[in-house]
């Protein structure tokens, strides 16, 4: 049942003939898991929160970066370096106090996906890489959950619903992942800032339709949108009965041919050890200029988004301790440098400067 305050909050929904109080009560009872609190995740989360979905889970292990602010409109400059999932939940709570938020501030993987998905009614994928998309889709099949999918690239976006009433899955549309160099991500080619807002809002719309039972679901239909021409078309696709998903892949990065993450080989150092022997290392701070000015422990400052152009400035005489606020961006920086074969001895500051 809805309280009088909730009836006031959702009045514009309730007076819709096709929606009514029953539709709003269905939203209140629903549990939706949103994968990623980035470009797509931000509008999805905002509109599902405003609509009154009772419980919303947020999966994201990343922190806010200055380059996110061009399109991830939940965040401000004050959030830079802070965990996205936590900051998103805090802001969204102010939008709607009747929604319960569940924060999952960790990386989704084959070991936690099925258990996590089983606790929700609908899964919304706002991820930005093929390995996660295949993992999410496969886990939805194994747990029997509908998947609201969205993707963006430069000026184009796509939306569809997978695994609805045992319908087509992501693998039916994309049986094999593209080669690792065939489709660059948005960090490499860019994306117009409004596009994730458009596509994410469409994902939220499909989610609301799924929960309330109104309208026609994009099941077996891929909506394609072009922001430059404002054209859109719907491409039909069907379930491939030959594709049988019985378990999750052992390693989705390997499956997608992008297993260039050297994280398991990267050395780490704790703040206590660095403090006791600072003369043994060179510090490389990859945070933003604003973060560096607010607090730093010295050393060389090269923001992460400038590193591939400025890595020659790094002194090779001592081991390099790479640091950021939480240890996430510094890992990305080390992977970038390792892939550039710059010949540096690189060490990650575990838990980042937040622990310093």
């Amino acid at each position: 049942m809805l309280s009088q305050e909730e009836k006031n909050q959702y009045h514009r929904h309730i007076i819709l003939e096709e929606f009514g109080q029953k539709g709003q009560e269905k939203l209140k009872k629903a549990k939706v898991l949103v994968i990623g609190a980035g470009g797509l995740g931000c509008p999805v989360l905002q509109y599902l929160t405003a609509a009154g979905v009772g419980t919303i889970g947020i999966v994201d292990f990343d922190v806010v970066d200055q380059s996110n602010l061009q399109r991830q409109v939940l965040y401000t400059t004050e959030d830079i370096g802070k965990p996205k999932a936590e900051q998103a939940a805090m802001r969204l709570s102010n939008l709607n106090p009747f929604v319960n938020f569940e924060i999952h501030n960790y990386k989704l993987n084959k070991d936690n996906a099925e258990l996590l998905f089983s606790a929700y009614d609908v899964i919304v994928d706002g991820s930005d890489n093929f390995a996660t998309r295949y993992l999410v889709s496969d886990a939805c099949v194994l747990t029997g959950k509908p998947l609201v999918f969205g993707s963006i690239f430069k000026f184009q976006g796509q939306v569809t619903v997978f695994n609805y009433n045992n319908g087509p899955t992501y693998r039916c549309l994309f049986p094999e992942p593209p080669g690792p160099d065939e489709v660059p991500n948005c960090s490499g080619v860019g994306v117009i800032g409004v596009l994730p807002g458009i596509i994410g809002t469409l994902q939220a719309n499909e989610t609301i339709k799924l929960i309330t039972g109104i309208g026609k679901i994009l099941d077996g239909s891929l909506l394609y949108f072009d922001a430059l021409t404002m054209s859109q078309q719907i491409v039909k696709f069907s379930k491939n009965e030959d594709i049988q998903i019985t378990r999750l892949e052992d390693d989705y990065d390997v499956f997608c041919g992008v297993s260039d993450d050297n994280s398991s080989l990267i050395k780490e150092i704790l703040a206590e050890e660095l403090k006791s022997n600072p003369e043994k290392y060179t510090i490389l701070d990859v945070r933003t200029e604003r973060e560096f000015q607010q607090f730093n422990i010295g050393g060389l400052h090269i923001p992460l988004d400038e590193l591939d152009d400025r890595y020659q400035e790094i002194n090779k005489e001592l081991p390099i301790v790479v640091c950021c606020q939480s240890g996430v961006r510094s890992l990305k920086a080390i992977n970038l440098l390792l892939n550039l074969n710059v010949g540096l001895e690189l060490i990650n500051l575990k838990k980042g400067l937040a622990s310093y």
Side-chain angles (χ1 to χ4, degrees), residues 140 148 152 230 253 325 343:
C140 281
V148 180
I152 52 175
M230 292 305 291
D253 283 336
Q325 185 66 20

Side-chain angles (χ1 to χ4, degrees), residues 82-155:
K82 298 177 183 178
K84 287 183 179 180
E86 295 177 10
Q87 295 306 110
M90 180 185 69
R91 291 254 153 66
L92 294 166
S93 295
N94 294 328
L95 173 61
N96 192 342
F98 304 114
V99 175
N100 174 48
F101 296 98
E102 297 177 345
I103 299 171
H104 306 285
N105 191 8
Y106 52 78
K107 186 174 183 179
L108 188 72
N109 59 44
K110 71 178 186 65
D111 297 317
N112 57 34
E114 289 183 77
L115 181 62
L116 180 60
F117 286 17
S118 64
Y120 293 88
D121 304 311
V122 180
I123 312 299
V124 183
D125 187 3
S127 63
D128 62 357
N129 63 86
F130 288 98
T132 303
R133 290 168 185 168
Y134 279 99
L135 167 62
V136 170
S137 178
D138 290 353
C140 281
V141 172
L142 294 175
T143 54
K145 307 296 180 178
L147 169 60
V148 180
F149 171 81
S151 69
I152 52 175
F153 181 75
K154 296 179 71 173
F155 301 98

Side-chain angles (χ1 to χ4, degrees), residues 171-204:
R171 287 182 185 263
C172 297
L173 193 57
F174 305 105
E176 297 291 337
D181 299 320
E182 290 180 19
V183 184
N185 59 32
C186 292
S187 64
V189 299
V191 61
I192 191 169
V194 298
L195 181 63
I198 296 168
I199 300 302
T201 303
L202 291 173
Q203 286 181 271

Side-chain angles (χ1 to χ4, degrees), residues 1 4 10 19 78 133 146 158 165 189 197 228 292 308 356:
M1 296 291 291
Q4 187 56 52
Y10 307 128
F19 205 96
E78 298 299 319
R133 290 168 185 168
Q158 301 175 343
N165 289 338
V189 299
L228 287 181
F292 187 79
D308 55 350
Y356 204 81

Side-chain angles (χ1 to χ4, degrees), residues 36-54:
L40 291 172
C42 282
V44 169
L45 289 166
Q46 286 172 295
Y47 277 98
L48 292 185
T49 298
V53 172

